[in-house]
Amino acid sequence: MFKRLQWLAALVALVFGFTIKLAQAEPHRDQCVVLISVDGLAGFYLDDPRAEMPTIRRMAREGARASGMVCSFPTVTWPNHTTLVTGVPPEKHGVLGNNYLERASGSPVALIVDPVYDKDQIVSTPTIYDVAHRAGLTTAGICWPATRNARTLNWSMPDMAGDGWEKYGTQAWLSELRGAGLPVDMHGAWCKEPSGGVRRDWLYTRMAAQVLKQHSPNVLIIHLVEVDHVEHKYGPRSPEAYWAVSFADDRVRDIVEAVQASPLGKKTTVIVASDHGFFPIDKDIRPNVVLAAAGLLNKDTKRAAIVSQGGACMVYVLDDKDRPATIEQLKTKFAGVEGVDRVFTAAEFAALGVATPAADERAPDLWLAAKRGYSFTDSRDGDAPVVPRASPGGTHGYLPGEAELFGTCVLWGHGVRPGTNLGEISNTDVAPTMGALLGVEIPGATGKVLRQGLSD
């Protein structure tokens, strides 16, 4: 009798435990998570007294903040936005850079701003919006990189110029936005204008307000662009950059106010993040000049080629003859070029979180990383591998370990533990944390849930 009772108790405990697990796995249909990416908003601005950021600083005080967020290599827009929503590095999600080289043709292929491929053709692991959508939650994306024709976004306007929204946006939503008086048909023209980012960010926040109030999505991802534009032209910590940071803070304020006025406002979490920091630059490195001097590139021959990524550069060996020897030759040559910080071969790619050519034919044979103050370009002009820039500016793409390349991460609102310092985190942690807030889990994510910043 006692054994039968023991068996019954064990069965009840098992069933009860399984029921609890199922209950915990239920998606939170009455909650919303908004991820705002402020492109180029370096983490150092949050503690810089010259940066006017009253909204984001208030959110940091009332919520949780990272002391710094380490981004993915190369620290450029398309890979890092994809890391933010997948919880894995480029090696796994497959978005290797803003562009890459097609080995067969020897020609570069642009990923920025999604002119060639749909989301499912370039993102090879699940995103937070994929997982949420498949769990029955609703999703929205505004100007988010690598989302062209994303089938799991209920409302989507991808990060595309020209007629991208007409071709790939959610047409019913586009009609709604027109009906609400928003100038969505000006977007293509604004993308072409040097100052168009200001109007674009203004428009994106109004679109966010509309979808939050009218459709109550469980996930909203939105990308603001102007800070990055300004820092490229004028450099970080310039007067123009401080203006752009203040402007971005105002746009975050607009979204927060829209959240508070939305049906799910009291159960919404807002995450403010960025894809990379910034270095100032005053010199250009021209790897093509090095390839030409080595006899690997001229008007008739292309035995090797490069694709620049700002503070990083991909080097492809296209001639299979003596490939190992050519790679070693180039490793030595590039290591001796002024401004080159590191040269990485495929054996070292795993530590960078990038794919090898054996695993992904789009991957280069070498990665170059520049020093602070230097930027790689595709120029073939002249004989000098390094030249002064006509005017100072700023860029990113560098190795992610420098504090100036850290991104911003602030969590605020429902489910966030107030006054929490998260310490130094990885941008792979953002998507799993969004999943925990929504009651879903991203398969294969390597980042961790930032539980110390979440309330019980």
Side-chain angles (χ1 to χ4, degrees):
M1 181 68 177
F2 179 70
K3 287 184 178 180
R4 288 177 61 190
L5 288 173
Q6 280 186 313
W7 177 85
L8 184 60
L11 180 62
V12 169
L14 180 64
V15 172
F16 181 74
F18 183 67
T19 303
I20 290 294
K21 188 173 182 179
L22 282 177
Q24 289 173 339
E26 274 294 305
H28 303 158
R29 302 178 192 280
D30 62 342
Q31 292 183 208
C32 173
V33 178
V34 178
L35 173 59
I36 307 170
S37 161
V38 183
D39 200 314
L41 183 66
F44 60 71
Y45 283 117
L46 199 52
D47 297 310
D48 185 341
R50 293 171 292 178
E52 295 181 7
M53 301 168 61
T55 301
I56 299 174
R57 287 199 178 109
R58 175 176 66 83
M59 296 168 72
R61 289 192 306 271
E62 296 175 356
R65 61 158 291 183
S67 57
M69 183 170 71
V70 180
C71 300
S72 300
F73 181 79
T75 47
V76 293
T77 299
W78 248 241
N80 278 277
H81 276 83
T82 308
T83 295
L84 284 170
V85 294
T86 59
V88 298
E91 175 186 20
K92 294 184 179 295
H93 64 57
V95 181
L96 306 183
N98 281 347
N99 39 31
Y100 68 93
L101 196 85
E102 184 181 66
R103 288 180 181 271
S105 65
S107 300
V109 176
L111 297 181
I112 186 172
V113 287
D114 290 336
V116 180
Y117 295 116
D118 289 346
K119 176 261 182 186
D120 288 344
Q121 294 175 291
I122 57 173
V123 182
S124 54
T125 59
T127 67
I128 180 61
Y129 56 85
D130 292 332
V131 173
H133 187 271
R134 290 164 189 160
L137 304 180
T138 55
T139 58
I142 300 171
C143 190
W144 198 269
T147 60
R148 192 180 98 168
N149 269 343
R151 293 174 294 176
T152 55
L153 285 172
N154 297 89
W155 302 278
S156 176
M157 295 296 156
D159 189 351
M160 299 183 71
D163 60 355
W165 285 7
E166 284 287 347
K167 286 185 175 181
Y168 302 105
T170 305
Q171 295 306 299
W173 188 31
L174 201 58
S175 296
E176 281 185 31
L177 295 169
R178 290 188 185 110
L182 292 176
V184 288
D185 295 312
M186 295 297 297
H187 181 255
W190 289 349
C191 287
K192 298 177 184 178
E193 297 176 11
S195 61
V198 174
R199 281 166 283 182
R200 288 170 62 190
D201 284 350
W202 173 87
L203 174 61
Y204 300 155
T205 57
R206 271 64 191 168
M207 293 164 62
Q210 192 273 350
V211 78
L212 286 166
K213 293 174 183 177
Q214 299 301 318
H215 295 290
S216 301
N218 301 109
V219 176
L220 169 60
I221 52 176
I222 176 172
H223 173 208
L224 304 180
V225 300
E226 181 62 6
V227 171
D228 181 79
H229 293 171
V230 169
E231 288 184 305
H232 274 296
K233 186 173 182 178
Y234 299 102
R237 295 190 175 98
S238 62
E240 294 86 356
Y242 284 121
W243 169 84
V245 168
S246 175
F247 171 79
D249 188 82
D250 288 345
R251 303 291 71 77
V252 172
R253 177 204 63 207
D254 293 343
I255 297 171
V256 168
E257 289 177 352
V259 163
Q260 292 171 328
S262 69
L264 297 181
K266 292 183 178 178
K267 301 201 75 175
T268 295
T269 312
V270 179
I271 301 175
V272 179
S274 58
D275 51 349
H276 51 73
F278 253 89
F279 274 164
I281 52 173
D282 54 24
K283 289 185 179 181
D284 285 339
I285 305 172
R286 297 174 170 180
N288 277 323
V289 173
V290 177
L291 296 183
L296 299 171
L297 180 66
N298 57 51
K299 63 179 181 179
D300 300 316
T301 304
K302 184 185 280 189
R303 295 174 54 204
I306 65 101
V307 177
S308 62
Q309 306 280 339
C313 184
M314 302 160 125
V315 181
Y316 294 81
V317 176
L318 303 178
D319 188 350
D320 287 336
K321 183 181 178 182
D322 299 324
R323 174 184 293 275
T326 303
I327 291 172
E328 283 302 313
Q329 175 193 8
L330 289 177
K331 178 181 178 182
T332 300
K333 285 188 177 295
F334 282 121
V337 173
E338 175 192 343
V340 173
D341 184 25
R342 295 283 304 277
V343 181
F344 296 92
T345 60
E348 302 165 288
F349 284 6
L352 294 175
V354 295
T356 64
D360 188 334
E361 65 178 7
R362 301 170 303 165
D365 297 289
L366 296 169
W367 271 103
L368 312 180
K371 295 179 180 178
R372 187 181 192 275
Y374 294 81
S375 177
F376 294 105
T377 74
D378 294 333
S379 173
R380 301 187 187 188
D381 297 338
D383 299 321
V386 180
V387 295
R389 290 173 56 84
S391 60
T395 198
H396 45 88
Y398 306 86
L399 291 171
E402 294 283 346
E404 287 176 271
L405 272 300
F406 288 174
T408 297
C409 186
V410 172
L411 282 63
W412 175 87
H414 178 74
V416 178
R417 190 186 304 276
T420 303
N421 189 324
L422 300 169
E424 188 177 298
I425 68 169
S426 167
N427 65 348
T428 59
D429 300 336
V430 173
T433 302
M434 294 176 70
L437 287 161
L438 292 166
V440 298
E441 186 175 343
I442 304 176
T446 58
K448 66 179 188 299
V449 176
L450 298 170
R451 296 201 179 279
Q452 69 272 37
L454 304 184
S455 57
D456 297 332

